[in-house]
Amino acid sequence: MDRMALEDDVLLREVTRFIYREARLQDDHEYDAWEALWADDGVYLIPANGEGGDPEQEMSLVYDNRSRIALRIRQLHTGKRHTQAPRSRLCRIVSNIELLECEGDTIRVTANAVVYESNARGETVWPSRNEYLLRRVGGELRMSLKKVVLINNDKPLYTLSFLI
Amino acid sequence: MGAMEKPFNWAELVRPEHVHGSVYTDPAIFQADLEKIWYRTWVYVGHESEVPKPDDFVMKSIGPQPIIMTRDRDGKIQLLQNRCTHRGNQICQAHKGSASTFTCPYHGWNFGSDGELRGLPFSSGYEGVDRSKLALGRVARIASYKGFVFGSFASEGPTLEDHLGAAHVAIDKLVETSPEGEVEITAGFLQHKVKANWKLLVENETDGYHPQFVHASIFKVAESGIGSLYGPNSTALSRYFGNGHTEFDLRPEFRQRGQLLGWFGTTPEKYPEYVARMRAAYGDDKANAIMIDGTPHTMIFPNLFIAEIQMFVLQATAVDETVQHVTALQFKGAPELNRRMRQQTMGSVGSAGFLLADDGEMYERTQRGLQSRNPEWVYIGRGKHRERRDEQGLLISDVTDEVPSRGMWEHYRSMMEAK
Ligand code: FES
Ligand SMILES: [Fe+2]
């Protein structure tokens, strides 16, 4: 294995650990620890209607800047976010993690995810293709973008109130 | 009444202050809802701005049936059924686009954007057949009010203006928020599905009793001033327009505050260009009044909810399933305001919305609750003793009262009883 490939491999392992950790924090509803994974300029984007066009122009399911991510977390913490009281029971599988490019200090990563949700309504499956922009902040990886493209987002969707 | 249809005693099921739980849960009643309401009265379908050019089309619906809304070559809006007149295949798979013709993929029949049959392959097999009788099915009547397109499957009945009645003011007020007097629907729709009967949603759109409880979490953390509009001391009103249409009239509260753009949680200093354009268009006094009063909060029966900054189109798909198609309202000539409309809409509604995810939870829990058989009735008597008439003779009451539900149900009963 040449040196580049080796460095890639080390980075891939670090990114994979980061994404698995993020998945576990989401499944466990560890809201604060999950919020701490965001960079200050973080954008959380869940497009509607396919890949989604320009989120500045078209409706997305979620298009949160960093302060709206914080608001989302504060709402969950009130205990009166009825749709998460009781909380959904969650189990997600994240796979196909690939590093697509490294530019400057930013790494573009893609992964596939399938989330099983169980709540009073029933069981719902949420399959998605995810994209991350990760950046090192004080030595630690942080998300500056997480884009979750649900593969059924062009159809009517049930309430999505857990962190995906 | 069809031979297979079970007769319902509507006056027994829908009483002045009580509604029987089965009207939300009985599949046979849902079928009756489709026949007597969704496939008969004026149903909102789409907005003219969604098909700006000839041959533009967009997929819409009336209840469970998909409807292709097109603008034909002559610029006329058409509401067509997505069903080939040969053997029933769906002719259009796209959500929207532009097409001068639709070709059925099964045997190649070809229809114009006006629905007319243009061509059929191997046509010698159809000698002597009158093609004009094989046009796509059309919604029997189409009418548009200030850009809002409605369809009715009944070939005869009240006009759209009759149907809207006093509620037309909601659309009048809404378009006046634009300095050019026009709403545009350009931001795309979220489709939020809930396992609940459509009438629970219609009622909740103008239920002023729930916000402080259902939306306590977001009111608390966003420190929004909305919560106090829906309290026991609010001067806002609930109103029944007739024909099933209902609203909250928030103007008394906004007039008391007297703040331009206060309804939108902002100030004129942040939107100087919009304020200037409004004043140029309407004159200072009228422009100021519009900017103080804000946009309507009106439920146009059975499926168009004008919700201040966004618009919901309700689609009844099953006795226990409803889809809310929702988008930000966009005002022609107000790009700065429109951006904030989109941002706030994305935050508050749709599957992940700060507000609507909790409304959705209530719809589903109520639908499940109604399966329990004791008590049999839903009680909608709140504020009965204090309901009154406004200057126009319309029924009003405090904003937390159930005047809108009582009005809606009275209209529902009359539609279900109609032959
Ligand atoms: S079903 Fe459409 S052409 Fe035959
Ligand atoms: Fe609500």
Side-chain angles (χ1 to χ4, degrees):
Chain A
M1 202 182 265
D2 65 30
R3 228 184 98 209
M4 280 296 288
L6 193 64
E7 279 173 15
D8 264 14
D9 211 50
V10 170
L11 184 60
L12 177 63
R13 268 191 268 166
E14 186 187 3
V15 166
T16 303
R17 270 200 307 276
F18 177 88
I19 288 176
Y20 283 177
R21 175 152 184 266
E22 193 227 349
R24 174 169 47 80
L25 295 175
Q26 291 183 312
D27 280 351
D28 289 346
H29 301 271
E30 291 283 353
Y31 304 135
D32 295 332
W34 181 77
E35 192 187 345
L37 299 179
W38 286 95
D40 289 344
D41 59 351
V43 171
Y44 183 25
L45 173 61
I46 309 180
N49 303 309
E51 286 296 307
D54 177 0
E56 283 292 322
Q57 300 300 327
E58 287 177 35
M59 292 289 107
S60 298
L61 291 154
V62 169
Y63 182 39
D64 286 0
N65 61 14
R66 185 63 188 81
S67 76
R68 196 171 269 183
I69 292 170
L71 183 66
R72 199 171 284 282
I73 298 302
R74 291 209 303 282
Q75 185 185 27
L76 287 164
H77 274 308
T78 60
K80 292 185 174 150
R81 176 59 158 165
H82 302 287
T83 159
Q84 282 300 315
R87 291 167 173 176
S88 298
R89 296 190 65 202
L90 301 170
C91 168
R92 76 192 68 199
I93 308 294
V94 185
S95 180
N96 306 42
I97 299 173
E98 281 191 280
L99 309 184
L100 290 200
E101 53 190 317
C102 297
E103 239 193 69
D105 61 350
T106 300
I107 314 160
R108 191 157 80 88
V109 181
T110 54
N112 290 352
V114 180
V115 186
Y116 284 84
E117 178 192 24
S118 172
N119 63 9
R121 188 200 319 108
E123 287 76 52
T124 313
V125 183
W126 302 90
S128 68
R129 303 182 63 160
N130 299 345
E131 178 183 338
Y132 295 83
L133 291 181
L134 301 178
R135 211 173 53 222
R136 226 172 268 289
V137 178
E140 301 286 332
L141 290 177
R142 291 288 173 261
M143 299 186 280
S144 60
L145 172 76
K146 182 178 183 189
K147 179 177 173 185
V148 179
V149 182
L150 295 161
I151 59 115
N152 53 350
N153 70 4
D154 58 340
K155 300 203 186 86
L157 298 172
Y158 284 128
T159 294
L160 173 56
S161 54
F162 62 88
L163 298 172
I164 191 166
Chain B
M1 192 175 288
M4 301 296 289
E5 214 174 298
K6 180 168 118 201
F8 294 104
N9 184 344
W10 297 107
E12 178 58 27
L13 293 169
V14 180
R15 300 173 182 177
E17 295 178 38
H18 294 87
V19 177
H20 198 262
S22 65
V23 297
Y24 303 98
T25 59
D26 182 340
I29 291 186
F30 180 71
Q31 284 309 313
D33 288 356
L34 293 180
E35 296 301 332
K36 298 279 181 88
I37 296 175
W38 290 85
Y39 300 157
R40 178 174 286 186
T41 192
W42 289 102
V43 175
Y44 175 75
V45 180
H47 195 272
E48 288 175 13
S49 61
E50 294 177 82
V51 285
K53 298 185 303 301
D55 292 338
D56 285 350
F57 72 89
V58 59
M59 195 61 79
K60 296 290 179 180
S61 62
I62 294 182
Q65 298 189 44
I67 300 289
I68 315 169
M69 182 169 90
T70 70
R71 188 182 287 274
D72 69 20
R73 234 178 269 174
D74 302 327
K76 215 172 126 227
I77 306 278
Q78 301 271 357
L79 301 179
L80 307 172
Q81 301 239 250
N82 194 10
R83 171 183 173 148
C84 180
T85 49
H86 178 218
R87 277 158 60 176
N89 204 4
Q90 292 194 321
I91 56 158
C92 181
Q93 303 300 317
H95 285 293
K96 60 180 177 187
S98 181
S100 55
T101 60
F102 297 95
T103 302
C104 178
Y106 199 178
H107 314 92
W109 284 26
N110 187 263
F111 301 89
S113 54
D114 57 359
E116 291 299 318
L117 179 61
R118 293 253 187 277
L120 18 72
F122 317 153
S123 58
S124 63
Y126 291 109
E127 237 173 74
V129 172
D130 181 358
R131 292 186 187 191
S132 71
K133 294 215 165 68
L134 290 166
L136 290 175
R138 295 185 172 95
V139 175
R141 291 185 299 156
I142 305 178
S144 173
Y145 186 74
K146 300 196 174 179
F148 292 79
V149 179
F150 295 75
S152 162
F153 274 118
S155 47
E156 281 167 40
T159 64
L160 175 61
E161 309 234 330
D162 289 342
H163 169 71
L164 291 176
H168 73 84
V169 293
I171 295 176
D172 299 345
K173 296 269 172 231
L174 184 68
V175 301
E176 276 183 359
T177 310
S178 151
E180 298 178 34
E182 273 183 57
V183 164
E184 296 180 309
I185 300 302
T186 50
F189 282 82
L190 301 179
Q191 305 177 73
H192 183 192
K193 176 168 74 168
V194 290
K195 272 198 96 51
N197 186 266
W198 65 278
K199 300 184 287 297
L200 288 174
L201 282 75
V202 172
E203 290 184 276
N204 185 67
E205 311 303 16
T206 49
D207 173 87
Y209 200 11
H210 82 277
Q212 288 211 6
F213 310 101
V214 174
H215 306 304
S217 63
I218 193 63
F219 290 166
K220 182 171 174 223
V221 298
E223 287 158 16
S224 106
I226 300 174
S228 66
L229 294 173
Y230 302 107
N233 302 318
S234 171
T235 57
L237 300 169
S238 56
R239 177 174 286 114
Y240 180 52
F241 280 119
N243 288 349
H245 315 312
T246 60
E247 78 164 359
F248 296 151
D249 186 348
L250 305 173
R251 290 172 299 178
E253 282 286 311
F254 294 137
R255 284 176 185 172
Q256 247 171 38
R257 300 176 191 184
Q259 274 294 323
L260 296 189
L261 299 178
W263 64 274
F264 199 23
T266 186
T267 60
E269 289 71 39
K270 294 210 171 109
Y271 296 92
E273 290 167 23
Y274 172 70
V275 172
R277 257 178 267 130
M278 287 295 282
R279 288 183 173 151
Y282 298 104
D284 285 6
D285 290 351
K286 184 165 181 196
N288 290 349
I290 293 169
M291 288 187 280
I292 287 172
D293 283 353
T295 47
H297 185 119
T298 303
M299 177 66 225
I300 298 192
F301 187 86
N303 75 326
L304 173 62
F305 175 32
I306 296 168
E308 299 162 53
I309 62 168
Q310 66 263 146
M311 174 180 96
F312 290 76
V313 184
L314 304 182
Q315 181 191 8
T317 50
V319 64
D320 61 350
E321 188 183 274
T322 307
V323 179
Q324 309 163 80
H325 302 261
V326 57
T327 188
L329 290 163
Q330 302 281 276
F331 297 105
K332 201 168 181 185
E336 317 83 357
L337 214 62
N338 288 343
R339 177 168 193 277
R340 189 178 159 95
M341 291 270 167
R342 295 192 297 272
Q343 297 293 341
Q344 297 215 342
T345 295
M346 280 188 274
S348 49
V349 307
S351 297
F354 293 132
L355 293 169
L356 263 288
D358 288 319
D359 288 307
E361 188 67 27
M362 295 304 123
Y363 301 146
E364 294 181 344
R365 290 185 193 176
T366 306
Q367 187 73 26
R368 294 197 297 272
L370 290 165
Q371 303 287 344
S372 299
R373 301 191 57 159
N374 183 14
E376 287 181 64
W377 301 88
V378 170
Y379 172 45
I380 52 168
R382 182 178 168 81
K384 180 72 187 167
H385 64 286
R386 58 186 177 193
E387 64 182 37
R388 51 204 183 267
R389 301 264 168 192
D390 67 9
E391 324 75 63
Q392 280 186 277
L394 301 173
L395 215 49
I396 55 170
S397 198
D398 294 16
V399 72
T400 66
D401 288 348
E402 285 164 344
V403 157
S405 272
R406 290 194 290 276
M408 189 283 273
W409 281 112
E410 183 193 291
H411 180 67
Y412 175 87
R413 184 177 52 71
S414 75
M415 290 207 73
M416 301 310 280
E417 283 174 340
K419 284 284 164 291

